[in-house]
Amino acid sequence: MANLISHRNIAPLAFLFEAALGLLAIGLGTWCDIDPLENVTIGPETLWRQVVAVGWGLLATLPMLVGLVLLRQIQEGPLGELNQLVDKQLAPLFVETRIWELALIALAAGWGEELLFRGWLQTLATRNIAGNAGLWIGVLLGATVFGLCHWISSTYAILALLAGIYLGILFIASGNILTSVTTHALYDFVALVWITRSPVAPAPPEDTSNPLEETPD
């Protein structure tokens, strides 16, 4: 297993896993009569609609990136512990990954996770629960499962939950999964590049003094 998950093959494994989530969503959607790619059609009459959906996705990435910049400055408390976890355990896995490989991983994550959690799961709840309640239950259900699937720590799961709510609202507002796919993929790409290519901030020094040691007069 150690050889399987090495620095050089983590990229293809990550790409295949994330892309497989999209295929899973399409399979589940076929079983439940739900099309995760509904409204995503490419043709002379719909091309501009898809371009607009992607454009809104690009703009919607900005608040998430601002949040990333602010959170990465925190070095104390639960968020500080999360930053240290990312820097010391997750970032080294991708440190040898090329930029274009990071782009493919991010694109696969945007595709796979959005189709599964928003395109299929959120839509499943929305279509089976009438009214506005169905919309919000769908958003919360998709975001909650999304957060649980990102449980590397409770803090990270909560942040993923909040991101899932944001992405779910984008999906509803735009009516096109391409918007949340674009936002998710671009955010992941910027975050991966920044985390793997920036120097690690030093951890706060530990207090090694002995409180029982007597101080000289």
Side-chain angles (χ1 to χ4, degrees), residues 59-146:
L59 289 175
T61 313
L62 294 177
M64 295 185 69
L65 293 179
V66 170
L68 175 66
V69 171
L70 294 177
L71 291 175
R72 289 291 289 172
Q73 308 308 311
I74 301 174
Q75 296 299 322
E76 298 181 355
L79 292 173
E81 294 175 359
L82 175 60
N83 281 326
Q84 293 180 32
L85 174 66
V86 169
D87 289 333
K88 294 180 179 180
Q89 297 188 28
L90 295 183
L93 290 175
F94 296 94
V95 72
E96 296 182 9
T97 305
R98 302 175 183 91
I99 296 294
W100 65 267
E101 291 175 320
L102 294 177
L104 287 179
I105 293 171
L107 185 60
W111 148 273
E113 295 182 14
E114 289 309 300
L115 261 62
L116 182 60
F117 296 110
R118 254 63 65 180
W120 175 71
L121 183 57
Q122 179 174 316
T123 301
L124 179 66
T126 300
R127 290 189 178 180
N128 286 279
I129 303 174
N132 290 331
L135 290 176
W136 290 109
I137 290 175
V139 169
L140 292 175
L141 177 62
T144 300
V145 178
F146 181 71

Side-chain angles (χ1 to χ4, degrees), residues 31-85:
W31 181 45
C32 301
D33 195 23
I34 292 174
D35 182 7
L37 290 168
E38 186 178 7
N39 296 328
V40 180
T41 56
I42 303 299
E45 298 179 355
T46 60
L47 180 59
W48 178 246
R49 187 186 311 161
Q50 311 310 322
V51 171
V52 170
V54 171
W56 280 116
L58 294 174
L59 289 175
T61 313
L62 294 177
M64 295 185 69
L65 293 179
V66 170
L68 175 66
V69 171
L70 294 177
L71 291 175
R72 289 291 289 172
Q73 308 308 311
I74 301 174
Q75 296 299 322
E76 298 181 355
L79 292 173
E81 294 175 359
L82 175 60
N83 281 326
Q84 293 180 32
L85 174 66

Side-chain angles (χ1 to χ4, degrees), residues 84-211:
Q84 293 180 32
L85 174 66
V86 169
D87 289 333
K88 294 180 179 180
Q89 297 188 28
L90 295 183
L93 290 175
F94 296 94
V95 72
E96 296 182 9
T97 305
R98 302 175 183 91
I99 296 294
W100 65 267
E101 291 175 320
L102 294 177
L104 287 179
I105 293 171
L107 185 60
W111 148 273
E113 295 182 14
E114 289 309 300
L115 261 62
L116 182 60
F117 296 110
R118 254 63 65 180
W120 175 71
L121 183 57
Q122 179 174 316
T123 301
L124 179 66
T126 300
R127 290 189 178 180
N128 286 279
I129 303 174
N132 290 331
L135 290 176
W136 290 109
I137 290 175
V139 169
L140 292 175
L141 177 62
T144 300
V145 178
F146 181 71
L148 291 174
C149 290
H150 286 77
W151 195 297
I152 60 173
S153 74
S154 57
T155 303
Y156 190 75
I158 292 172
L159 292 176
L161 167 66
L162 296 176
I165 292 174
Y166 180 70
L167 292 167
I169 293 173
L170 282 181
F171 178 41
I172 291 176
S174 66
N176 194 320
I177 196 68
L178 282 183
T179 300
S180 60
V181 167
T182 302
T183 300
H184 192 150
L186 180 57
Y187 171 82
D188 279 5
F189 175 66
V190 174
L192 282 171
V193 172
W194 185 13
I195 290 170
T196 59
R197 298 303 190 268
S198 60
V200 178
E206 297 181 0
D207 185 5
T208 57
S209 61
N210 186 351

